[in-house]
Amino acid sequence: MPLHFKKCTSRELDELVEISRKTFVDSFEKDNDPEDFKNYIEAAFEKSNIAKQLRNPCSYFYFSFKDGQLAGYFKLNIEDAQTDINSEEAIELERIYVLKDFQGQQIGKHMLQEAIKLASQFEKKYMWLGVWEKNTDAIRFYQKNGFIKFDTHPYYIGKDKQTDWLMRVELKKASPVLERLQNG
C-alpha cells in the first residue's frame, strides 16, 4: 500500500485543525459528557493552539496520504514538548489518528512504522505514548507492535478525570518492531 508522508507546515494549519478535530470527535465523542467534550475540543484544537504547537521546534506533525487523499496524521514530540516524560532519551508519539473512511486498511500500522523510523533518526532510546485505558483496540494494537505499559497518568476531558496508560517501545529494538509491522 503506497502511503505518502508529509511534514506539516503552517501552510497546512487549517487542514491540520480540521483533521485533528474530526478524528478526535469520531474516536471519543460518544464516550464522553457532551458539554465537557465540546469545551475540550474548542480549547485543545483551537487554531491558535495548534499553530503554537506547529511553531514549536520540538514538535512534528505529519500527514499521511493514501492515493493522494489525506488519510490521517501523527505528532511526535521531543525534549520539553513532551507532555509527561521530558527525557532526552525519549520521543513521544502524542497523536496518531486515521480518518474513518480509511480505517481497516492498515494505515495506522504504516503510520506507526513511519513514526518509529523518524524516532530512530532522532537517535532516541525509546518512544512512548499515552492511550486511554478504555481504548482497548488501540492498546491491543500497541501491544502487538512491541509497546509495553509502564505507568498511568490522569487525562481530563472537562471535569471528567480519565486514565491513560503510558506505553513505550525501546528503539534499540526498533528493527524487530519494524519487521513485525512490515510483515503484519
Side-chain angles (χ1 to χ4, degrees):
M1 167 199 334
L3 286 181
H4 169 73
F5 298 98
K6 180 185 183 303
K7 185 177 176 192
C8 300
T9 68
S10 59
R11 289 185 300 275
E12 292 95 17
L13 176 60
D14 289 336
E15 199 170 17
L16 181 58
V17 169
E18 183 180 334
I19 193 173
S20 297
R21 285 175 177 259
K22 179 160 185 41
T23 54
F24 198 85
V25 167
D26 287 349
S27 296
F28 303 113
E29 182 177 40
K30 67 188 176 310
D31 299 315
N32 286 279
D33 174 78
E35 188 64 27
D36 280 345
F37 193 78
K38 178 181 175 251
N39 292 336
Y40 176 83
I41 292 296
E42 288 174 5
F45 300 110
E46 198 271 323
K47 190 173 182 176
S48 66
N49 186 18
I50 300 293
K52 181 180 174 186
Q53 293 173 50
L54 263 174
R55 287 190 305 270
N56 185 331
C58 295
S59 289
Y60 308 88
F61 287 90
Y62 293 87
F63 284 145
S64 173
F65 294 90
K66 180 180 181 201
D67 300 326
Q69 293 185 305
L70 181 60
Y73 81 105
F74 63 93
K75 180 185 181 197
L76 298 172
N77 296 319
I78 58 171
E79 299 172 18
D80 62 355
Q82 296 176 79
T83 57
D84 270 316
I85 306 300
N86 293 319
S87 169
E88 289 288 323
E89 298 179 334
I91 188 166
E92 175 187 20
L93 178 59
E94 183 182 359
R95 298 185 193 144
I96 182 168
Y97 289 99
V98 176
L99 288 165
K100 235 183 214 183
D101 290 346
F102 292 92
Q103 291 180 1
Q105 300 177 39
Q106 298 192 337
I107 291 171
K109 179 178 102 167
H110 291 284
M111 288 171 46
L112 180 58
Q113 180 180 6
E114 183 70 11
I116 289 172
K117 282 183 190 174
L118 290 165
S120 296
Q121 291 172 7
F122 280 102
E123 298 182 357
K124 301 299 182 183
K125 290 187 178 178
Y126 66 96
M127 175 184 280
W128 71 274
L129 55 84
V131 58
W132 188 27
E133 68 181 349
K134 293 182 181 179
N135 192 348
T136 56
D137 289 342
I139 289 170
R140 274 192 302 276
F141 170 75
Y142 294 125
Q143 287 173 330
K144 179 181 173 186
N145 290 293
F147 283 79
I148 57 167
K149 178 183 174 187
F150 68 94
D151 205 349
T152 62
H153 73 160
Y155 188 86
Y156 288 87
I157 300 288
K159 296 177 220 136
D160 185 20
K161 181 180 178 183
Q162 301 177 0
T163 301
D164 273 1
W165 283 18
L166 298 181
M167 301 182 79
R168 70 187 265 170
V169 65
E170 301 299 319
L171 294 175
K172 287 187 176 193
K173 298 177 185 172
S175 294
V177 171
L178 287 173
E179 185 177 316
R180 189 168 40 250
L181 283 165
Q182 290 167 341
N183 295 328

